[in-house]
Amino acid sequence: MSNGSFPPESGRRGGTLAIVLAALIPACCVAFWLLSSSPGGSKDDDADGGSGSTAPSTPSATASPSSGKPLQGKVVVIDPGHNPHNRDHPSQIARLVDIGTNKKECDTTGTATNSGYPEASFTLDVARRVRSVLEARGATVRFTQDGDRPYGPCVDERAEIGNEAHADAVVSVHADGAAAGQRGVHVILPESVRGGDADTSAITTPSRHLGERLLDRFVQATGSEPAQYIGDGSGLDVRGDLGGLNLSTVPKVFIECGNMRDAQDAAQLTDPAWRERAGRGIAQGITDFLNE
């Protein structure tokens, strides 16, 4: 084959191949035209993972932009109780502010476990976990503070932040500082009060609904029991002396996630895995309320 010529047998096969190709090309063209003109026969349909069916594709409900976003369009304000820097500003947080029915301190330092884990650190950690879940579900989440303020905000400003956001729900995250041996979670609901700038008449019912959903989901997520040392043992407590509730014009509750002064509760509150469950429980309670 040094001269580049084919042996006789190869020449015969080459000629036969040319004849076969000449016969097949028109048939292939016809087949290609039929396939491309049939419904669902384009390559783009198969590129999306189709099974090769020739049925025309139709948009499904799950393909909408809000798919998997049950809280799209909802605004939630999370109020992490206290502030890690409050202890450095005693005079500022001690000043009195108007809560409608009377006057109270701007804020406090909060409590801590016997080992020194501050309530303010706990509330921020849990609040951030709640935010992650809610944002993944499409909600717009705002904080009253994110450890980025020198102190506070004061309780009246905390309420105003929720009001100005026109929040669909506000949850203030706390942990209690009761006596050792007193355990469990409880949710504080606004009492119907009216005085000065305080008027909770429009929010008491929806706030109760929010509180009930919150308590139920928190107990499911964490295994905690409703606190027996406060209220009637239901885990729900109604109060009219908290500025954050009195001055709210949108549904709002406080959740006391456990007692930092009890060794068993403190062991949970200081456990990151438990705080993750707590955050998810709070987020699910809010989700249930907003989807009612």
Side-chain angles (χ1 to χ4, degrees):
M1 299 207 348
S2 59
N3 60 5
S5 62
F6 291 98
E9 183 61 25
S10 298
R12 287 196 298 272
R13 289 177 181 172
T16 302
L17 179 60
I19 293 171
V20 172
L21 288 175
L24 288 177
I25 288 172
C28 291
C29 290
V30 171
F32 179 81
W33 178 82
L34 288 173
L35 284 172
S36 63
S37 62
S38 64
S42 69
K43 182 180 179 182
D44 287 344
D45 290 337
D46 288 339
D48 290 335
S51 62
S53 169
T54 57
S57 60
T58 55
S60 66
T62 57
S64 64
S66 60
S67 175
K69 303 288 186 180
L71 300 183
Q72 193 77 42
K74 300 295 186 181
V75 177
V76 179
V77 171
I78 303 297
D79 177 28
H82 313 289
N83 182 319
H85 309 299
N86 277 358
R87 67 186 66 187
D88 302 322
H89 301 272
S91 60
Q92 288 93 335
I93 65 170
R95 70 181 180 86
L96 299 180
V97 298
D98 191 348
I99 65 166
T101 54
N102 53 52
K103 292 183 181 293
K104 291 191 75 170
E105 293 88 352
C106 159
D107 202 1
T108 68
T109 59
T111 186
T113 65
N114 292 333
S115 63
Y117 179 57
E119 179 187 0
S121 296
F122 169 82
T123 63
L124 268 178
D125 182 83
V126 172
R128 289 165 179 162
R129 296 173 191 271
V130 175
R131 176 172 59 190
S132 295
V133 177
L134 294 178
E135 288 183 339
R137 295 176 179 178
T140 297
V141 182
R142 299 179 183 174
F143 273 25
T144 56
Q145 60 92 15
D146 199 0
D148 51 357
R149 297 177 57 128
Y151 66 91
C154 296
V155 294
D156 55 343
E157 186 182 350
R158 289 175 187 264
E160 189 60 26
I161 290 170
N163 297 343
E164 290 183 349
H166 302 288
D168 296 289
V170 183
V171 174
S172 189
V173 181
H174 288 264
D176 208 359
Q182 298 178 332
R183 301 190 59 201
V185 54
H186 69 275
V187 174
I188 304 173
L189 313 176
E191 187 176 69
S192 183
V193 299
R194 184 175 296 177
D197 292 329
D199 183 359
T200 62
S201 56
I203 69 164
T204 52
T205 297
S207 294
R208 174 170 283 274
H209 292 166
L210 170 60
E212 290 170 345
R213 306 299 175 271
L214 198 63
L215 180 65
D216 182 56
R217 288 298 192 172
F218 188 91
V219 167
Q220 288 182 25
T222 63
S224 297
E225 294 289 337
Q228 300 297 306
Y229 66 90
I230 197 163
D232 59 2
S234 67
L236 298 173
D237 186 34
V238 179
R239 290 176 60 175
D241 64 327
L242 298 175
L245 296 181
N246 287 2
L247 299 174
S248 182
T249 59
V250 295
K252 182 175 182 178
V253 299
F254 282 43
I255 182 167
E256 299 278 359
C257 297
N259 179 14
M260 301 199 95
R261 293 295 185 171
D262 176 80
Q264 293 182 69
D265 271 10
Q268 295 179 331
L269 298 168
T270 54
D271 178 10
W274 187 91
R275 294 199 298 270
E276 177 66 19
R277 295 195 295 273
R280 291 189 172 276
I282 292 171
Q284 189 58 52
I286 295 170
T287 300
D288 289 353
F289 169 74
L290 295 179
N291 284 336
E292 285 183 342

